Amino acid sequence: MHLFYTPDLYPEVKEYTLNEEESRHCTKVLRLTIGDVVFLIDGRGTLYEAKIHSESKRNVGLNIIHVQQEYQKRNHHLNIAVAPTKNIDRIEWFLEKATEIGIDEITPVICERSERKVIKEDRLFKVITSAVKQSQQAYHPVLNPALSLSDFLKKTTAGSKMIAHCIAGEPRKYIQELIRPHGNYLILIGPEGDFSPAEIQLALQNDFKPLTLGNTRLRTETAALAACFEVNYLNR
Amino acid sequence: MHLFYTPDLYPEVKEYTLNEEESRHCTKVLRLTIGDVVFLIDGRGTLYEAKIHSESKRNVGLNIIHVQQEYQKRNHHLNIAVAPTKNIDRIEWFLEKATEIGIDEITPVICERSERKVIKEDRLFKVITSAVKQSQQAYHPVLNPALSLSDFLKKTTAGSKMIAHCIAGEPRKYIQELIRPHGNYLILIGPEGDFSPAEIQLALQNDFKPLTLGNTRLRTETAALAACFEVNYLNR
């Protein structure tokens, strides 16, 4: 199945032209020609079956012959709100891996102990997009604008809200004790150095349930990915 | 709890001197002094309680006052045999994360479609060691020498042997359908481009069970980490 990522394509469209890069890939690498069938995915869950009607190095013209919506629809909704790491590579790595495994939204949250207060959202978005292409995801995860934890806690709504903090001795539960399958989940992951006690209190006052990801010491991006793995596993 | 990683320390030893770097950390950063208690971990599951008896910038002398073996003993054994990725950063990243989450052995396996046939084992070992320190693991995972898949299949023994391949339509099961808790597990993860059909056949002939990690398309290092997460989760 030859799949192209085409975020500028919409279900009502009947004809589409691959961009120069994809046209070249289509003709030179895949060696496809007129009459061959390819598939297009728009990152919003629509899969398009298309037939090549014209072909050149720079432009491959397609007729859309079949449209399937809610392709590979996910059976739950996961938003991971995570403090950007001091070393941005680590959060970029998380974005790539979470996209491969399955995530709906990522929300960068700036915390009291965050060493990094600013992120380049366009760059992070590109990391997600390339992971969407590489892992052939039907849905492009949403990257929400970064905001402070206090603003985030005021705004947020979700079925199950959880905060993963590291204060030993405090009562915390595993994800599987806190969620039901096919739910709408929001998991908050803190910065290097954890949330401050005041931040944890504020989250608990806003109906976040305290969460543990196990008894090993995880980096911020590892904890975020562990939560992503566990939620997808529990919704398998 | 001030914890130092001291792989050159053994249970019978009664006195120990921190190396220059750790001595400086102990006196300048942690501001510890004579009479203070620190903990040492040897990477072989022994935790040492020690009291500072002498102190200088370069040398902090310790009396071992208590030794606990099998500290944080893991309740299962996991060996992940993985084809090194073309981009070595990806496998290094896997080593760091797997160490944080919990793994006992990593075995680099060179496959038919491996674009990378050579690895620098000392470099990979250093990545594991720094993750052991950072995540305060009691056990330093073993990095086995790299070997070819055929040699590996001849040598290997384990309770549950699994191979994660990507051939759609072939019968494959989830890890939780294949393993019992507290077992000895060996999971084989292929290179970019997957195992060859002949390699899969050879593995099945050697009692490897075909494994799926879900229906999303995962990179080599992501698949290896997903397997590591799942095994640890199932043994929680």
Side-chain angles (χ1 to χ4, degrees), chain A residues 90 93 96-97 100 134-136 174 176 216-219 221-222 226 229-230 233-234 236, chain B residues 90 93 96-97 100 134-136 174 176 216-219 221-222 226 229-230 233-234 236:
Chain A
R90 295 188 170 276
W93 165 82
E96 176 182 300
K97 296 313 170 198
E100 285 179 57
Q134 196 279 334
S135 63
Q136 304 191 336
Y174 286 118
Q176 81 263 30
T216 62
R217 178 173 160 168
L218 303 178
R219 287 180 177 273
E221 73 280 6
T222 319
F229 266 112
E230 198 163 331
Y233 177 85
L234 293 167
R236 207 180 252 171
Chain B
R90 295 187 169 278
W93 163 83
E96 176 183 300
K97 298 312 172 198
E100 286 179 56
Q134 196 278 334
S135 63
Q136 304 193 335
Y174 286 119
Q176 82 263 31
T216 61
R217 179 173 158 168
L218 303 178
R219 287 180 176 273
E221 74 280 7
T222 318
F229 266 112
E230 199 164 329
Y233 177 86
L234 293 167
R236 207 179 251 171

Side-chain angles (χ1 to χ4, degrees), chain A residues 169-212:
Chain A
E170 293 285 319
R172 290 171 295 166
K173 287 184 169 175
Y174 286 118
I175 294 177
Q176 81 263 30
E177 302 173 291
L178 293 171
I179 70 171
R180 294 209 192 85
H182 314 322
N184 179 4
Y185 318 114
L186 172 58
I187 300 179
L188 193 47
I189 305 287
E192 294 99 336
D194 204 7
F195 298 102
S196 71
E199 288 176 321
I200 295 168
Q201 276 316 309
L202 193 61
L204 300 184
Q205 285 159 19
N206 284 272
D207 306 321
F208 278 72
K209 301 278 175 288
L211 173 71
T212 177

Side-chain angles (χ1 to χ4, degrees), chain A residues 12 18-19 31 50 57-58 77 83-84 99 108 135 137 155 162 172 178-179 197 218 221 236:
Chain A
E12 51 280 5
L18 292 178
N19 66 31
R31 304 196 169 286
K57 261 186 215 163
R58 290 203 172 71
H77 188 94
T99 301
S135 63
Q137 295 292 323
K155 284 184 179 181
M162 293 159 270
R172 290 171 295 166
L178 293 171
I179 70 171
L218 303 178
E221 73 280 6
R236 207 180 252 171

Side-chain angles (χ1 to χ4, degrees), chain B residues 123-144:
Chain B
R123 183 184 159 92
L124 298 186
F125 189 85
K126 284 192 185 119
V127 170
I128 296 173
T129 300
S130 82
V132 165
K133 290 184 186 180
Q134 196 278 334
S135 63
Q136 304 193 335
Q137 295 292 324
Y139 295 83
H140 190 301
V142 173
L143 177 66
N144 295 315

Side-chain angles (χ1 to χ4, degrees), chain A residues 81-82 84 107-111 119 121 144-153 155-156:
Chain A
V82 56
T107 311
V109 172
I110 311 303
C111 300
I119 57 165
E121 279 162 23
N144 295 316
L147 70 182
S148 73
L149 181 63
S150 53
D151 290 347
F152 174 73
L153 291 175
K155 284 184 179 181
T156 183

Side-chain angles (χ1 to χ4, degrees), chain A residues 95-143:
Chain A
L95 294 174
E96 176 182 300
K97 296 313 170 198
T99 301
E100 285 179 57
I101 290 146
I103 192 164
D104 302 282
E105 295 181 58
I106 302 105
T107 311
V109 172
I110 311 303
C111 300
E112 199 178 312
R113 296 178 184 164
S114 289
E115 292 194 59
R116 171 180 294 277
K117 309 280 187 191
V118 191
I119 57 165
K120 292 203 182 93
E121 279 162 23
D122 56 342
R123 184 186 158 92
L124 298 186
F125 189 85
K126 284 192 187 119
V127 171
I128 296 172
T129 301
S130 81
V132 165
K133 290 183 186 181
Q134 196 279 334
S135 63
Q136 304 191 336
Q137 295 292 323
Y139 295 82
H140 190 300
V142 173
L143 178 66

